[in-house]
């Protein structure tokens, strides 16, 4: 015989409140209960449906989209493929494994002295996650990120500056991630998500396979572009701080030279203020090289060779 539940029992078993269950009924997410006499009775089907809704909410679906998915399920089109795709997207996007660290170990890595403000910042940023019931331990989701902070601190960067830099960097990286998702959705996943018909289980399975293949591409692209940019900008940055335009490895550092204001304005109009110093340095270097070539040519004039051989 099928089990039946009163609404209070259903709420207890499902983890939803009585008010939530009634709201789901009003929205059409949950079938109406069976009426027996003066009692409303729910079945295991209602309990399963509530658990499905909770699972989809945890995955980030809205109630409106959940209703559409459940209607597709009820029409026999299946949720398996869609949920498989969601599971693939929700999966780890890194090979890193979280580790646990004690407060004493944490203090030791950052100079030995406790810093409650820095720990609070790290928790807010998600670099550290408190362990429930253990005030002296934390989970570290990304050991690499913590290791970077340790190295920067050892190099003399204050913890407050490290936290501020991470906040700024995170916003920029999230923008890159959003653009990559927009790009791949437009050119790859739109045919699965935006077609005239709902995706079948086969469509969703193929899309999940593509997620697995494309997942590392964003990181590989960012790694390559970051290496290129660091190589380019690090040299430029060093030249600006030296104030000479001298490249690393040069034996001598040239003296600062005053450039007429009109000349500087013309250069800035040509290449932009940020490139002006480098442009002037390269122009001077080219002039020096040109004069050196002229001297070599003058010292090795063809007429001289003819005189020697005649």
């Amino acid at each position: 015989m099928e089990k039946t539940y009163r609404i209070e029992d259903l709420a207890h078993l499902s983890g939803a409140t009585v008010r939530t269950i009634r709201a789901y009924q009003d929205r059409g997410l949950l079938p109406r209960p069976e009426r027996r006499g003066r009692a409303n009775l729910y079945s295991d089907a209602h309990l399963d449906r509530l658990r499905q809704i909770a699972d989809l909410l945890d995955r980030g679906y809205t109630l409106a989209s959940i209703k559409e998915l459940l209607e597709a399920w009820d029409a026999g089109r299946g949720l398996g493929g869609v949920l498989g795709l969601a599971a693939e997207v929700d999966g780890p996007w890194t090979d890193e494994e979280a580790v646990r660290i004690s407060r004493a170990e944490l203090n030791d890595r950052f100079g030995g002295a406790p810093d409650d403000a820095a720990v609070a910042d790290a928790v807010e940023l998600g670099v550290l996650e408190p362990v429930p019931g253990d005030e002296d331990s934390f989970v570290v989701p990304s050991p690499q990120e913590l290791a970077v902070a340790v190295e920067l601190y050892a190099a003399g960067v204050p913890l407050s500056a490290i936290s501020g830099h991470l906040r700024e960097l995170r916003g920029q990286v999230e923008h890159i991630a959003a653009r990559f998702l927009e790009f791949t959705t437009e050119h790859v996943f739109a045919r699965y998500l935006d077609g005239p018909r709902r995706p079948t289980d086969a469509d969703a399975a193929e899309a999940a396979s593509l997620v697995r293949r494309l997942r590392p591409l964003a990181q590989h692209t960012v790694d390559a572009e970051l290496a290129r940019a660091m190589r380019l900008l690090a040299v430029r940055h060093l030249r600006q701080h030296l104030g000479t335009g001298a490249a690393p490895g040069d034996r001598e550092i040239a003296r600062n030279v005053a450039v007429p204001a009109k000349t500087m304005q013309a250069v800035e109009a040509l290449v932009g203020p940020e490139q002006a110093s480098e442009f002037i340095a390269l122009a001077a270097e080219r002039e020096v090289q040109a004069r050196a070539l002229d001297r070599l040519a003058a010292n090795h004039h063809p007429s001289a060779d003819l005189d020697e051989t005649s």
Side-chain angles (χ1 to χ4, degrees):
M1 183 176 177
E2 185 180 22
K3 291 182 180 179
T4 57
Y5 311 98
R6 294 183 181 275
I7 192 168
E8 293 81 4
D9 299 325
L10 185 66
H12 175 73
L13 291 169
S14 67
T17 65
V18 169
R19 183 177 179 179
T20 297
I21 292 173
R22 287 177 174 150
Y24 288 167
Q25 289 175 182
D26 293 339
R27 285 174 170 263
L29 292 165
L30 193 68
R32 294 287 177 179
E34 180 184 353
R35 185 77 176 180
R36 292 185 187 174
R38 299 178 62 183
N40 289 326
L41 298 180
Y42 297 82
S43 66
D44 284 331
H46 292 91
L47 182 58
D48 291 340
R49 177 56 56 90
L50 285 171
R51 288 171 175 165
Q52 287 174 346
I53 294 172
D55 181 58
L56 290 169
L57 286 172
D58 287 342
R59 295 174 186 269
Y61 288 91
T62 64
L63 288 177
S65 59
I66 289 174
K67 183 178 179 181
E68 291 183 358
L69 288 170
L70 294 175
E71 287 173 351
W73 174 276
D74 291 338
R77 282 175 284 187
L79 275 178
V82 174
L83 294 182
L85 174 58
E88 193 66 48
V89 173
D90 285 344
W93 286 72
T94 175
D95 294 332
E96 276 196 283
E97 295 184 3
V99 298
R100 192 161 172 165
I101 189 172
S102 69
R103 181 63 183 266
E105 291 175 299
L106 189 65
N107 291 341
D108 184 60
R109 291 194 190 186
F110 289 95
D115 190 329
D116 292 338
V119 170
D121 266 352
V123 170
E124 180 187 347
L125 288 165
V127 177
L128 300 174
E129 296 179 356
V131 176
D134 186 353
E135 296 181 356
D136 293 324
S137 295
F138 298 93
V139 171
V140 183
S142 173
Q144 290 181 3
E145 194 168 48
L146 182 64
V148 169
V150 170
E151 290 297 328
L152 288 173
Y153 180 77
V157 182
L159 289 175
S160 59
I162 296 173
S163 297
H165 177 70
L166 179 56
R167 284 189 176 89
E168 180 181 356
L169 179 65
R170 181 165 294 177
Q172 294 168 344
V173 170
E174 287 176 356
H175 174 73
I176 293 172
R179 290 293 298 117
F180 187 82
L181 289 173
E182 290 169 3
F183 170 77
T184 52
T185 297
E186 177 184 356
H187 296 285
V188 179
F189 294 108
R191 61 180 178 268
Y192 301 102
L193 304 176
D194 300 331
R197 59 177 177 82
R198 294 179 186 277
T200 64
D201 279 0
D203 292 333
E206 185 176 351
S209 176
L210 281 170
V211 170
R212 286 191 294 273
R213 287 169 49 195
L214 297 179
R215 179 179 290 163
L217 297 188
Q219 183 173 348
H220 292 170
T221 303
V222 171
D223 286 347
E225 284 300 308
L226 180 61
R228 182 199 64 79
M230 287 297 294
R231 184 172 62 251
L232 173 67
L233 298 180
V235 172
R236 184 181 302 165
H237 192 69
L238 179 60
R239 291 180 181 181
Q240 289 174 349
H241 277 270
L242 293 176
T244 63
D250 286 350
R251 293 182 180 180
E252 296 182 2
I253 297 177
R255 297 170 183 169
N256 291 330
V257 177
V259 178
K262 289 185 178 180
T263 302
M264 182 59 74
Q265 290 171 0
V267 172
E268 289 179 349
L270 181 64
V271 299
E274 294 180 357
Q275 309 286 344
S277 297
E278 186 175 4
F279 179 88
I280 291 172
L282 292 174
E285 183 179 349
R286 186 171 66 178
E287 178 65 21
V288 169
Q289 290 174 348
R291 294 191 181 194
L293 289 173
D294 289 344
R295 285 197 301 272
L296 286 173
N299 292 335
H300 193 70
H301 196 279
S303 60
D305 292 339
L306 290 174
D307 292 341
E308 291 175 3
T309 58
S310 60

